[in-house]
Amino acid sequence: MGDRKLYAGVKLRETRMKLGLTQKDFAAKLGVSLPYLNQMENNNRPLSAVVVLSLAQEFGLDVTELRTGNAERMVSHMQEALADDVFGDIEPPVADLRLAASNAPNLARAFLELHRAYRTTHERLASLDEALGQDLNRMGVSPWEEVRDFFHFCDNYIDAVDRAAERFAKTSDDVETAAAAALSALGVTIETLPSEFARRFDASTKTLHLDANQTDASRRFQLLLQVALLTQNELLDATLDFANFKTDEARDIAKIGLANYFAGAALMPYEAFLQAAKDTRHDLEILAHRFGASIEQVSHRLSTLQRPGAKGVPFFFVRVDQAGTITKRHSATRLQFARFGGACPLWNVHSAFETPGRFIRQLAETPDGVRYFCLARDVSKPAGKWGAPTRRFAIGLGCDVQHADQLVYADGLDTGDPKAFEPIGISCRICERKNCHQRSVPPLERKLSVDPNNRHLLPYQVD
């Protein structure tokens, strides 16, 4: 674990509570005294080598999580927030940030929430089109944003729900058959007929209506989603209680999100899917065929493989519509997406609409110097009948370039050549690149100089 003393009181306490043990019982299993455990949980003393070894042997804990879990991720978030110009030359040492993340995680989250609120307010005021679409008297977090942030802070991985879905999938060789049997046991009748609803459940008659025009993958997913809502209600509610959402709307949205999570995890069980992803080097088409899922579902699932002790490649996943608006976003990487407006126009996800049915590869570098391998493809969702509109989206999947060798799609790309990486940003309003030929609006809080006698890429210069 290195020479630096390991203070992980929050993680130690979370582990004990997850196991449902009292301090006395936990101390006995770790082979330490009760006062010593209490001191470690309160970060008054570091974890000893004996305790770390016991955590690994007795409870199978991935000890690397003690350093690289929530605290390290929170440190990364605080470093990004403190890079904002609003803080000027304030640069707290990383050791101070680690101390805050480990000893006062709620305070650290409050700091991040305050900075997020500041940026949100600033961007809303800076953009008229966004301001017109927002209630200016209500500057708090929307329920949708609150749910998105919940999944983000969980690394888009919900352990209890994921493992429950995996257990369910193991009850049968065919997960669709298992889903139908589970619903039948509850007295639910399944009808598959053409419908304007992908899924509609009539609780009074216990009838589940599935649209016959949707794809097989979508039908399986909707079937499993209904299984989650009817058979996993206590688990979903317990998870929602832990999240402590501020509004009923956020809780309701999150419940659907958790049910969707269960459906995806049952369709693509963790251990089997992770192994298949490694074996195929993350070939999306092979994985989609093997698990009876869509390419979008497979891409989304890849972004959730963050189980402690059995992590997959940390991916980001995003879906955009033809207007460039981000409609889905999840990230287990440092890359985060713009909360308002569209994604950077230099990102390959936009090019996917121009080449339907093809995967588009890109090596990209963000303003913070981090380099990524990015994959994009268009996905179409036909309505299944004449005259109904086809919904078109593009999905983006990517990871830090250090993991690119684990993806079949990166073969042949020179990831060691700095010139091969295209400069991209998050959104124009917060991107600091001065000479971008695709810039749509000036960056926030940067002075502009305008010379009527000179015109370069932009009608102004960013100082």
Side-chain angles (χ1 to χ4, degrees):
M1 299 295 283
D3 295 330
R4 181 159 56 89
K5 292 182 179 180
L6 176 58
Y7 291 89
V10 174
K11 186 67 177 179
L12 189 63
R13 190 183 308 111
E14 288 178 352
T15 301
R16 175 175 63 79
M17 294 179 69
K18 186 180 294 185
L19 294 169
L21 297 175
T22 64
Q23 278 193 329
K24 181 179 179 180
D25 293 337
F26 197 42
K29 290 182 177 293
L30 292 177
V32 298
S33 67
L34 179 58
Y36 187 55
L37 173 62
N38 185 269
Q39 288 179 318
M40 287 190 294
E41 286 195 356
N42 287 285
N43 282 320
N44 293 325
R45 299 190 66 170
L47 269 63
S48 67
V50 172
V51 170
V52 172
L53 186 61
S54 296
L55 286 170
Q57 293 179 340
E58 290 289 331
F59 306 107
L61 181 69
D62 181 2
V63 295
T64 61
E65 288 295 308
L66 296 173
R67 282 206 190 281
T68 60
N70 294 336
E72 285 300 318
R73 184 168 67 251
M74 196 174 295
V75 168
S76 176
H77 293 327
M78 286 192 288
Q79 285 178 311
E80 292 181 26
L82 287 164
D84 195 315
D85 287 341
V86 71
F87 294 107
D89 296 329
I90 299 175
E91 295 183 12
V94 175
D96 288 356
L97 299 183
R98 286 199 178 103
L99 193 62
S102 297
N103 288 8
N106 289 334
L107 179 62
R109 291 191 185 97
F111 164 75
L112 292 173
E113 177 68 12
L114 180 62
H115 179 259
R116 185 213 60 77
Y118 160 75
R119 297 303 304 182
T120 298
T121 302
H122 209 86
E123 288 197 28
R124 284 177 177 173
L125 294 175
S127 174
L128 179 60
D129 60 327
E130 289 291 345
L132 290 174
Q134 301 290 335
D135 178 2
L136 294 179
N137 294 319
R138 177 178 166 272
M139 302 302 288
V141 182
S142 73
W144 190 263
E145 290 171 337
E146 191 180 358
V147 172
R148 183 192 60 202
D149 288 345
F150 163 71
F151 279 99
H152 169 66
F153 276 111
C154 292
D155 259 352
N156 200 29
Y157 173 74
I158 313 297
D159 187 73
V161 178
D162 206 300
R163 292 181 186 275
E166 189 172 32
R167 289 193 296 271
F168 176 83
K170 290 180 179 179
T171 60
S172 173
D173 292 334
D174 179 39
V175 71
E176 187 170 359
T177 300
L183 292 175
S184 178
L186 296 174
V188 175
T189 301
I190 302 172
E191 293 186 354
T192 304
L193 298 168
S195 172
E196 61 180 312
F197 297 97
R199 173 184 55 86
R200 184 168 63 86
F201 179 66
D202 187 335
S204 62
T205 62
K206 290 190 175 182
T207 303
L208 174 63
H209 303 272
L210 297 174
D211 181 19
N213 293 322
Q214 62 188 321
T215 64
D216 290 344
S218 294
R219 187 191 68 255
R220 292 188 195 96
F221 189 89
Q222 294 298 331
L223 190 64
L224 288 164
L225 193 156
Q226 193 64 51
V227 168
L229 292 173
L230 294 179
T231 69
Q232 304 294 323
N233 189 61
E234 289 187 7
L235 173 61
L236 300 186
D237 280 340
T239 305
L240 294 169
D241 290 341
F242 174 77
N244 194 27
F245 288 108
K246 298 176 182 177
T247 64
D248 292 338
E249 292 87 348
R251 185 184 174 97
D252 291 342
I253 293 171
K255 189 165 189 175
I256 296 299
L258 291 176
N260 274 280
Y261 188 105
F262 179 94
L267 191 61
M268 294 163 277
Y270 196 100
E271 290 184 0
F273 185 75
L274 176 61
Q275 189 59 52
K278 292 178 179 178
D279 293 342
T280 64
R281 297 184 62 216
H282 300 85
D283 190 311
L284 303 184
E285 292 174 297
I286 294 179
L287 292 172
H289 177 73
R290 184 173 299 181
F291 289 91
S294 69
I295 287 178
E296 181 180 342
Q297 289 168 348
V298 167
S299 300
H300 193 164
R301 181 57 169 152
L302 285 173
S303 73
T304 70
L305 300 182
Q306 294 298 298
R307 178 177 292 179
K311 290 188 176 184
V313 171
F315 282 104
F316 65 75
F317 166 75
V318 66
R319 189 181 74 177
V320 303
D321 63 18
Q322 289 180 283
T325 304
I326 298 174
T327 60
K328 285 184 181 180
R329 68 190 84 192
H330 299 287
S331 181
T333 72
R334 287 182 58 185
L335 180 67
Q336 301 305 319
F337 307 104
R339 290 175 178 268
F340 306 111
C344 175
L346 300 178
W347 194 14
N348 69 336
V349 70
H350 302 290
S351 303
F353 291 109
E354 303 170 8
T355 54
R358 291 178 54 193
F359 287 101
I360 308 298
R361 306 183 299 172
Q362 181 185 36
L363 296 176
E365 181 177 336
T366 49
D368 57 4
V370 181
R371 293 171 178 169
Y372 297 92
F373 170 77
C374 305
L375 187 69
R377 177 173 166 157
D378 81 305
V379 290
S380 297
K381 300 192 175 186
K385 62 181 180 180
W386 172 256
T390 296
R391 295 186 300 153
R392 295 192 64 200
F393 300 95
I395 57 172
L397 186 71
C399 62
D400 191 297
V401 73
Q402 65 175 313
H403 303 294
D405 61 339
Q406 299 181 54
L407 279 68
V408 65
Y409 302 99
D411 289 354
L413 296 179
D414 188 357
T415 58
D417 181 8
K419 296 181 180 179
F421 291 82
E422 299 180 59
I424 65 170
I426 304 302
S427 74
C428 287
R429 295 184 183 90
I430 58 176
C431 180
E432 299 297 326
R433 298 190 192 279
K434 294 183 178 181
N435 299 313
C436 177
H437 62 282
Q438 285 289 343
R439 178 173 289 282
S440 59
V441 295
L444 294 171
E445 298 185 350
R446 287 291 185 184
K447 292 182 179 180
L448 306 180
S449 60
V450 180
D451 185 348
N453 297 316
N454 294 290
R455 169 63 192 255
H456 192 47
L457 293 174
L458 302 170
Y460 51 82
Q461 292 295 309
V462 180
D463 293 339

